[in-house]
Amino acid sequence: MKHTKIKELLSGTNALQEVNVKGWVRTFRNKQFIAVNDGSTINNIQCVVDFENTPDELLKRITTGAAISVIGTLVESKGSGQNYEVQVSKIEILGDSDPEKYPMQPKKHSLEFLRENAHLRIRTNAFGAIMRVRSVLAFAVHQYFQERGFAYVNTPIITGSDAEGAGEMFQVTSLPLDGSAPRNEDGTINYKEDFFAKHTNLTVSGQLEGEAYAMALGQIYTFGPTFRAENSNTSRHLAEFWMIEPEVAFCDLDGNMDLAEDFIKYVVRYAVEKCPDDLKFLESRLLEEEKSKPAAERSEMALLEKLNFVLDNNFKRVSYTEAIDILKASKPNKNKKFQYIIDEWGADLQSEHERFLVEKHFKCPVILFDYPAKIKAFYMRLNEDGKTVRAMDILFPGIGEIVGGSQREERYDVLLEKMQALGIDEKELYWYLDTRKFGSAVHSGFGLGFERLVLFVTGMTNIRDVIPFPRTPQNAEF
Ligand code: 4AD
Ligand code: MG
């Protein structure tokens, strides 16, 4: 007999029929009521056992975590809480779960504990919901770009280039790790002997390769894993995360901001429409969590209200220079808490400044643009003032930076000069310079950190809780 997903059973379309449910036991009450979940929905289906006619031996094996197959009739439920339940005629234990040893007890576990059990935490309500929302968001990303004629490009994971020029790369080598690697005369490792005959890294961004594709296919996007060896032990950084990077030919910074805002609203709206049960659950989880916080730290809006607020309002576009003026003016203010007071035009914004602008001052998502050239990557388009570049960062409430992007420097001479000034080897990036030598044109793009988007939509606060197996400095066993 083919089994039916719980999501479908709860819709009632199979009422009064004999059905087969396969899933994992969440709880078993009074020898009678099994709550089964199969991952298709946040909701469990109640399976009612005729315990008087079921052998004790079998009843004992219905424990939290066990995999079971149930055959029975789908009937309207008399109890409150669910519309349908299964009147069981046959139970089979597919996989036992020792209740003394199973870590996911039917009680509230701390997020720290669940992080240590990343392989089992998916069986909790919260993580089931988060991972379904993540999957729906990933689909929405592809749908948005595919509907608009963007080509999906897979850029290299192992690469010789440092796209961001920030030196935060994980090195890749096929050379022995035991110290016997071939050495140069000065004692450094001789990467010429390596598989790639050169020094390679895991990619920090597919942007530069994406640009080459945009200069041929017109509009492209990447969506893939990205690696940063920045050892940032924060709730917003991962060593391995997923990034979405669109790149568009004949598009300037204004067009880039329009695209980013439209794209974010589309994927958020898609999740709101497709995941109502999961988001409602995550909203109630968040409300519960916030109760333990002091009133001043609780968020003013519930999760769905916050998502709808972003959908209904324009992102505020503000230049870096205006933002600095606002921060300077608010210096000795009620918000005396700035650890880093910005006195100088040209300083990089700390996350506390970003949060102030978004959460206290504008109270909505903010697009900051025209940053000082000195604090941004080499490839950004220099403005006529000679000191700012056509960069943009999108800042979100509770998240901080969710997008970083720019109009690219399309002028060969200006780009070459910048690379030389920064000591970037032009021989290494000859192919990137070629895109400016042959048929160069204005083009722009951005990178959206996928986990930061999932954080925002699910209302979670730690980035390790929105990626299936978090790669962080502490967590490398998976
Ligand atoms: O601002 P970033 O470093 O920009 C780039 O990599 C550009 N090449 C993008 C482009 O223009 N095509 O990173 C882009 C986004 C950030 O805004 C942030 O959302 C996310 O990637 N991000 C991280 N997410 C999780 N963990 C990390 N360590 C991250 N570093 C960046
Ligand atoms: Mg950035």
Side-chain angles (χ1 to χ4, degrees):
M1 187 177 178
K2 197 177 167 297
H3 70 279
T4 310
K5 289 279 151 53
I6 292 171
K7 189 173 181 182
E8 196 186 320
L9 294 181
L10 292 174
S11 72
T13 44
N14 297 273
L16 298 178
Q17 289 178 29
E18 181 168 78
V19 294
N20 178 204
V21 183
K22 287 184 179 172
W24 294 269
V25 175
R26 283 292 171 80
T27 56
F28 183 35
R29 286 187 296 119
N30 303 343
K31 286 186 163 185
Q32 207 178 355
F33 304 109
I34 320 173
V36 181
N37 190 280
D38 67 0
S40 63
T41 159
I42 187 95
N43 301 304
N44 303 328
I45 189 135
Q46 173 158 286
C47 298
V48 186
V49 183
D50 175 9
F51 64 97
E52 280 164 354
N53 294 307
T54 308
D56 254 4
E57 273 313 293
L58 184 57
L59 291 175
K60 272 197 206 122
R61 292 173 64 199
I62 306 174
T63 55
T64 298
I68 62 171
S69 171
V70 168
I71 292 177
T73 313
L74 186 71
V75 297
E76 280 192 38
S77 177
K78 288 171 228 92
S80 61
Q82 68 273 318
N83 296 330
Y84 291 92
E85 62 187 27
V86 176
Q87 217 95 62
V88 177
S89 54
K90 186 171 172 236
I91 296 184
E92 195 187 337
I93 309 290
L94 303 175
D96 289 282
S97 170
D98 183 341
E100 301 293 312
K101 295 192 181 137
Y102 184 55
M104 299 293 114
Q105 294 298 318
K107 61 162 196 180
K108 204 168 159 45
H109 292 288
S110 74
L111 290 168
E112 290 76 29
F113 172 82
L114 292 171
R115 252 167 247 148
E116 285 160 18
N117 289 278
H119 58 303
L120 292 172
R121 68 177 179 175
I122 329 131
R123 298 195 194 176
T124 64
N125 283 331
F127 282 88
I130 294 164
M131 294 310 160
R132 278 186 298 272
V133 171
R134 180 181 166 111
S135 164
V136 165
L137 281 168
F139 181 79
V141 167
H142 285 291
Q143 180 153 295
Y144 178 85
F145 289 118
Q146 294 288 333
E147 276 176 354
R148 285 157 185 75
F150 285 65
Y152 177 39
V153 177
N154 306 116
T155 51
I157 307 280
I158 299 177
T159 172
S161 74
D162 176 7
E164 291 304 296
E168 292 170 339
M169 297 161 304
F170 284 103
Q171 301 184 17
V172 178
T173 181
S174 60
L175 296 173
L177 294 169
D178 62 3
S180 65
R183 302 272 161 176
N184 298 315
E185 272 171 20
D186 64 0
T188 55
I189 292 178
N190 181 358
Y191 286 102
K192 290 216 170 64
E193 303 285 318
D194 193 81
F195 179 81
F196 287 105
K198 75 177 292 234
H199 198 174
T200 51
N201 323 290
L202 294 178
T203 184
V204 293
S205 158
Q207 178 198 319
L208 304 192
E209 292 89 350
E211 283 184 56
Y213 266 71
M215 297 310 285
L217 300 183
Q219 31 182 26
I220 65 97
Y221 69 105
T222 71
F223 185 1
T226 313
F227 308 86
R228 304 253 167 125
E230 53 196 347
N231 200 9
S232 298
N233 215 339
T234 79
S235 58
R236 302 282 178 268
H237 290 85
L238 288 162
E240 176 180 320
F241 64 101
W242 284 62
M243 186 152 59
I244 296 141
E245 296 186 275
E247 193 71 34
V248 185
F250 316 116
C251 175
D252 64 9
L253 190 69
D254 287 326
N256 202 27
M257 293 194 229
D258 292 343
L259 176 69
E261 182 168 346
D262 189 54
F263 165 62
I264 293 176
K265 286 179 172 170
Y266 178 96
V267 294
V268 171
R269 183 173 294 113
Y270 193 87
V272 168
E273 283 169 9
K274 299 284 178 191
C275 308
D277 292 352
D278 286 327
L279 292 177
K280 238 178 273 155
F281 173 83
L282 290 168
E283 175 171 277
S284 60
R285 195 205 76 86
L286 193 60
L287 286 173
E288 198 54 42
E289 192 183 88
E290 296 227 314
K291 277 189 197 153
S292 62
K293 289 187 190 165
E297 282 173 32
R298 286 180 211 155
S299 91
E300 287 165 27
M301 290 185 211
L303 180 60
L304 282 156
E305 197 186 346
K306 199 178 73 180
L307 300 182
N308 281 308
F309 179 83
V310 162
L311 296 179
D312 295 340
N313 288 280
N314 292 333
F315 297 1
K316 181 82 187 160
R317 300 182 185 190
V318 189
S319 73
Y320 167 91
T321 304
E322 288 169 81
I324 292 295
D325 289 343
I326 292 166
L327 289 166
K328 275 188 186 163
S330 63
K331 194 166 50 175
N333 66 7
K334 328 131 224 173
N335 186 306
K336 287 198 187 90
K337 281 183 270 170
F338 285 153
Q339 199 182 341
Y340 302 94
I341 292 174
I342 290 207
D343 285 319
E344 284 293 317
W345 185 96
D348 207 354
L349 300 185
Q350 305 291 327
S351 65
E352 58 182 321
H353 304 121
E354 297 179 344
R355 294 192 76 142
F356 174 80
L357 291 169
V358 174
E359 289 160 28
K360 300 268 181 328
H361 190 80
F362 291 110
K363 295 185 191 280
C364 72
V366 172
I367 311 185
L368 283 187
F369 61 91
D370 284 353
Y371 281 76
K374 284 215 172 82
I375 58 172
K376 288 291 183 187
F378 74 96
Y379 50 70
M380 297 187 183
R381 176 69 156 79
L382 190 66
N383 277 314
E384 308 317 318
D385 63 13
K387 58 178 193 168
T388 60
V389 284
R390 304 244 75 193
M392 65 147 183
D393 275 6
I394 302 187
L395 313 178
F396 256 48
I399 306 290
E401 180 190 332
I402 194 165
V403 160
S406 64
Q407 184 176 319
R408 318 305 188 188
E409 183 54 77
E410 84 283 13
R411 298 164 296 182
Y412 179 84
D413 296 340
V414 182
L415 182 62
L416 184 63
E417 205 178 301
K418 184 76 173 276
M419 285 168 59
Q420 285 166 345
L422 292 171
I424 299 170
D425 190 346
E426 59 197 87
K427 277 195 230 88
E428 290 271 312
L429 279 185
Y430 78 93
W431 59 272
Y432 188 64
L433 284 161
D434 266 3
T435 60
R436 274 62 174 175
K437 229 190 248 173
F438 308 114
S440 188
V442 167
H443 63 287
S444 302
F446 63 84
L448 171 96
F450 186 52
E451 285 73 23
R452 296 202 184 165
L453 173 73
V454 183
L455 267 185
F456 177 70
V457 174
T458 59
M460 299 301 290
T461 44
N462 192 317
I463 199 160
R464 293 161 205 202
D465 298 330
V466 298
I467 187 162
F469 294 97
R471 286 280 165 281
T472 61
Q474 292 76 35
N475 201 338
E477 59 272 73
F478 292 102

